[in-house]
Amino acid sequence: MHELSIVESIVRIAEEQAKKFGSQRVSRIEMEIGKCSGIEMDAFDFAWTEAIKGSCLDTSVREVIMIEAKSKCSSCQTVFSVENIYDICPECGEICCDLVQGKELKISSIEIEEPVLSEKPMNYV
Ligand SMILES: [Zn+2]
């Protein structure tokens, strides 16, 4: 499944980041997903639940920012919102329009949980 391999690579990036800061956990992850990125959100959610089990993202808060898709008309230069990449220009009806926004799929921020410096019980005696 396409979504699963994407989620797996996100988990891998998050683990690398956490490791870099000597932590085992990511407390919050924020992603930007374009409406025309080809991601099926239901499949993505399902893959997410499966892939994060036992990983550093297991208890993290996930935020997804959906990015509106926009095309630019190649003849009249109008920029307009689209539902899919084949939408035509609302101004002149041109069918050759370039998607200028909406294919995003990226991690916009990762918050790493503070590493636990010592797990030894404190001795107060
Ligand atoms: Zn146009």
Side-chain angles (χ1 to χ4, degrees), residues 95-108:
I95 46 171
C96 274
C97 302
D98 292 323
L99 202 65
V100 289
Q101 183 187 300
K103 277 179 134 174
E104 295 78 359
L105 174 60
K106 62 178 184 188
I107 299 171
S108 39

Side-chain angles (χ1 to χ4, degrees), residues 65-121:
I65 298 166
M66 293 304 290
I67 308 288
E68 191 85 16
K70 282 185 177 156
S71 275
K72 187 177 181 189
C73 175
S74 56
S75 49
C76 73
Q77 314 301 312
T78 302
V79 175
F80 56 99
S81 295
V82 289
E83 283 306 313
N84 68 69
I85 51 174
Y86 306 111
D87 280 2
I88 59 166
C89 174
E91 292 298 320
C92 70
E94 174 63 68
I95 46 171
C96 274
C97 302
D98 292 323
L99 202 65
V100 289
Q101 183 187 300
K103 277 179 134 174
E104 295 78 359
L105 174 60
K106 62 178 184 188
I107 299 171
S108 39
S109 82
I110 291 182
E111 281 169 25
I112 312 289
E113 210 165 274
E114 292 275 321
V116 178
L117 296 175
S118 171
E119 287 187 340
K120 284 181 199 156

Side-chain angles (χ1 to χ4, degrees), residues 42-62:
D42 285 347
F44 186 81
D45 284 341
F46 180 76
W48 184 267
T49 315
E50 289 302 307
I52 64 164
K53 277 178 192 160
S55 80
C56 66
L57 290 168
D58 212 344
T59 54
S60 67
V61 175
R62 189 193 68 166

